Amino acid sequence: MSSKLTFKPEEDFPDLSKHSNHMAHILTKSMYGNLRDKVTKNGFTIDQAIQTGVDNPGHPFIMTVGCVAGDEESYDDFAELFDPIIEARHSGFKKTDKHKTDMNPNNLKGGADMDPKYVLSSRVRTGRSIRGLCLPPHCSRAERRQVEKIACAALANLTGDLKGGYHPLSGMSDAEQDQYIEDHFLFDKPVSPLLLASGMARDWPDARGIWHNDEKNFLVWVNEEDHLRLISMEKGGNISGVFHRFCRGITEVEKHMKAAGYEYMWNEHLGYVLTCPSNLGTGVRAGVHLKIPLVSAKTDHFDAILKKMRLQKRGTGGVDTASNDGTFDISNADRIGFSEVELVQMVVDGVEFLISCEKKLEKGEDIAADVAAIAAK
């Protein structure tokens, strides 16, 4: 018997008294007692799942989830914890609900010419996990290398404006990595406590890398937080064009991966299965870097707009950064319960509204009535 099992679960229960994340709000001693000794078929435990939430009590901008999955089975084997976390994080999405999808970019309204004075760049990204391989918090070195191999083989088949090449981190100089990161093409080095505590940064930089097309507007990150992160991006306010390329690129990658005999983790309830419960469903985060110093200075109005329009803010440097000049990364707050088109539409509508408010404030006009009149989505 493991020495760990000689202790009662209540003796093992983490101190969450000063925590503010979804896991800490939901995990009880009784629940922990039910789950502590369970192990997925790949050897992942509930203690591994919650470690990131134990080590990181909260976040200044967003309510973090506080747990991760180590494999596809985590969401079933630890459903007693994951189901209520998913419901809390995703606005009431229940274990009986089914995910919906719409990857037809022609259904998006507007978003082709948002004012570039305010919209500095536009991006749409999602994640994908390859079935049969453990997720980054728990994968072995061999599994991680297999993800890289499968991804590179599929991406090598892309043609036309999507044609590009793969750049492994292990082959990059520090200067090259820093330039990619500065250009927002590459995920940062593993300094985020959320990534480190979850185990995603093990063996860095082994089998990590970036694939991008020649125009550097369609990118695939390999083995960061998820097996794959697929990103379409460009400067300015044409998020419609970004979304069209996003849908086309993802369809092509999936086609070539399936032809090689692989498939993504997906089910009718959760949609696309990813490492963090916050990204389940579509996995889509559509965002723009938006410069709105006057609106953002009116904190109450700014927060009310974001809440009513189902958006969230981050600093432009990522989830762990703040804004110093009124420029924020504004994106959809939801991932599941809405289709891809619906989520991008929320960003288009919300950003256009924020720009209209910024222009009013520039003229010395009040926006209180405009904010009050927003119908919650």
Side-chain angles (χ1 to χ4, degrees):
M1 176 186 284
S2 166
S3 61
K4 172 184 175 181
L5 300 184
T6 64
F7 293 93
K8 296 177 181 179
E10 56 265 30
E11 296 176 294
D12 239 353
F13 190 73
D15 179 3
L16 303 173
S17 58
K18 296 181 180 179
H19 289 55
S20 181
N21 57 52
H22 286 300
M23 178 278 295
H25 292 170
I26 289 168
L27 184 67
T28 64
K29 288 184 178 179
S30 173
M31 186 186 298
Y32 181 76
N34 294 337
L35 298 176
R36 187 195 66 165
D37 301 335
K38 280 190 175 184
V39 180
T40 71
K41 72 176 187 180
N42 296 301
F44 193 66
T45 68
I46 194 64
D47 279 308
Q48 290 171 293
I50 66 174
Q51 194 64 54
T52 185
V54 174
D55 291 350
N56 297 280
H59 190 277
F61 287 150
I62 59 177
M63 172 73 78
T64 55
V65 171
C67 64
V68 293
D71 51 21
E72 188 169 9
E73 292 74 22
S74 298
Y75 287 105
D76 292 324
D77 294 348
F78 306 133
E80 186 178 358
L81 174 64
F82 277 111
D83 282 349
I85 285 176
I86 291 166
E87 184 172 348
R89 170 60 181 83
H90 295 288
S91 306
F93 190 84
K94 295 179 171 55
K95 61 183 179 181
T96 54
D97 291 339
K98 292 186 178 181
H99 173 64
K100 59 180 177 177
T101 187
D102 180 2
M103 288 280 285
N104 183 352
N106 294 321
N107 292 334
L108 183 69
K109 297 177 177 64
D113 57 353
M114 295 189 292
D115 195 331
K117 175 183 175 183
Y118 305 95
V119 182
L120 308 183
S121 63
S122 303
R123 159 187 307 219
V124 182
R125 66 88 164 147
T126 192
R128 292 291 186 267
S129 307
I130 301 171
R131 180 158 279 156
L133 298 171
C134 287
L135 297 170
H138 190 56
C139 67
S140 67
R141 297 179 189 93
E143 286 178 305
R144 191 183 301 116
R145 292 164 187 165
Q146 180 71 353
V147 168
E148 183 182 45
K149 181 180 177 181
I150 293 168
C152 288
L155 291 163
N157 287 303
L158 298 186
T159 60
D161 67 320
L162 295 177
K163 181 178 179 295
Y166 181 66
H167 307 270
L169 262 62
S170 58
M172 285 187 202
S173 68
D174 287 343
E176 287 173 318
Q177 285 190 46
D178 291 341
Q179 189 60 55
Y180 268 123
I181 292 167
E182 185 179 333
D183 293 339
H184 299 287
F185 293 148
L186 180 63
F187 45 87
D188 205 345
K189 296 171 185 177
V191 295
S192 165
L194 298 174
L195 292 177
L196 293 172
S198 65
M200 296 183 211
R202 291 171 297 121
D203 308 306
W204 197 272
D206 187 60
R208 276 84 169 194
I210 176 178
W211 178 96
H212 62 74
N213 66 343
D214 295 338
E215 296 179 31
K216 293 186 178 180
N217 57 20
F218 185 66
L219 324 173
V220 181
W221 294 349
V222 179
N223 285 320
E224 190 224 15
E225 182 178 328
D226 293 302
H227 286 164
L228 305 176
R229 281 279 175 94
L230 303 102
I231 305 158
S232 177
M233 60 188 283
E234 65 183 57
K235 298 290 187 183
N238 184 10
I239 199 170
S240 175
V242 168
F243 186 52
H244 274 74
R245 183 171 54 252
F246 170 86
C247 294
R248 183 163 52 88
I250 283 187
T251 300
E252 286 293 304
V253 174
E254 185 172 15
K255 179 182 74 174
H256 295 300
M257 201 168 283
K258 283 185 174 180
Y262 300 98
E263 64 179 354
Y264 293 128
M265 297 181 192
W266 183 90
N267 63 62
E268 285 188 341
H269 169 49
L270 297 178
Y272 289 101
V273 175
L274 297 168
T275 297
C276 182
S278 67
N279 288 324
L280 293 167
T282 63
V284 163
R285 190 170 84 86
V288 304
H289 283 186
L290 186 65
K291 191 166 187 176
I292 44 170
L294 300 181
V295 173
S296 60
K298 294 185 175 296
T299 307
D300 290 347
H301 286 333
F302 189 28
D303 290 344
I305 293 168
L306 296 177
K307 183 177 181 180
K308 287 185 176 183
M309 305 197 82
R310 305 186 79 96
L311 302 174
Q312 66 179 193
K313 64 182 178 184
R314 302 182 182 191
T316 55
V319 68
D320 293 315
T321 63
S323 172
N324 297 316
D325 66 349
T327 302
F328 288 86
D329 183 337
I330 302 296
S331 63
N332 51 294
D334 300 284
R335 303 287 185 269
I336 198 169
F338 299 91
S339 72
E340 291 83 356
V341 168
E342 287 173 326
L343 294 176
V344 179
Q345 191 69 59
M346 288 178 190
V347 175
V348 171
D349 296 344
V351 168
E352 292 286 21
F353 182 79
L354 285 164
I355 291 173
S356 70
C357 289
E358 185 73 11
K359 289 179 177 179
K360 280 195 169 186
L361 291 172
E362 288 172 350
K363 298 175 183 176
E365 300 174 10
D366 187 63
I367 62 170
D370 301 85
V371 175
I374 301 173
K377 289 186 177 291

